[in-house]
Amino acid sequence: MKILLTLSLLVTALTGVAQRDYDPRLLAKFSEERIRELQRDQPQIIDYWTYYLDESYSIVALTDGKILKSEKTLRIKDFENLNILELNVHQDRSQSKAYKIRGTGEYLVLMSNDAFTAKYNKSRGLKKPGKSGGE
């Protein structure tokens, strides 16, 4: 009886771990149910957005009193646990966007969709659509 109970608990624990096999920051964009669906049916979407979480932006500190034209000012409390999906910023198709970070001389620079997609594809060893090896 103890063995059956232990096996039951082990299966339950492993099921819980398997269901949580994704970056929890994705919950800012997708429900847990939708993440499970995507993991099963379109895992490349989860891969793309997981890469987006850390690779779609940079934090830039400007010196010499320089400023960047910025869309708006952001308040970022915890740079170590930054979730870009919670900031309500959106990529432009072809141009990077800068956002001033309140209380600092720094900017969050969000890559353009074109630049980010190229970076993502390169990291995955994918070629640009419409390009052949001989061009």
Side-chain angles (χ1 to χ4, degrees), residues 9-125:
L9 289 173
L10 182 61
V11 168
T12 302
L14 289 176
T15 303
V17 169
Q19 290 178 352
R20 196 71 169 188
D21 189 24
Y22 59 86
D23 191 313
R25 295 177 293 171
L26 292 172
L27 291 169
K29 180 162 184 70
F30 303 106
S31 69
E32 199 165 334
E33 179 182 342
R34 181 68 177 141
I35 290 171
R36 283 194 302 271
E37 288 172 11
L38 290 169
Q39 285 177 316
R40 182 185 66 237
D41 301 332
Q42 297 175 303
Q44 69 279 10
I45 292 176
I46 296 297
D47 185 59
Y48 177 90
W49 285 104
T50 301
Y51 190 77
Y52 182 90
L53 288 168
D54 295 318
E55 301 297 329
S56 62
Y57 66 93
S58 57
I59 305 294
V60 177
L62 297 180
T63 57
D64 302 329
K66 295 179 182 176
I67 61 170
L68 290 176
K69 179 182 174 198
S70 61
E71 295 281 321
K72 64 181 180 180
T73 300
L74 301 175
R75 183 173 180 197
I76 299 175
K77 293 180 181 180
D78 185 0
F79 285 90
E80 294 297 317
N81 297 303
L82 177 65
N83 184 347
I84 190 73
L85 297 175
E86 291 178 339
L87 295 179
N88 196 27
V89 296
H90 306 283
Q91 290 177 315
D92 182 87
R93 168 69 58 202
S94 59
Q95 292 185 324
S96 295
K97 290 182 176 180
Y99 300 90
K100 180 149 180 42
I101 301 172
R102 182 181 302 154
T104 72
E106 298 178 322
Y107 292 81
L108 182 140
V109 178
L110 185 63
M111 296 176 79
S112 70
N113 184 267
D114 290 343
F116 175 74
T117 301
K119 180 179 179 179
Y120 172 77
N121 287 341
K122 183 177 181 182
S123 77
R124 300 307 188 255

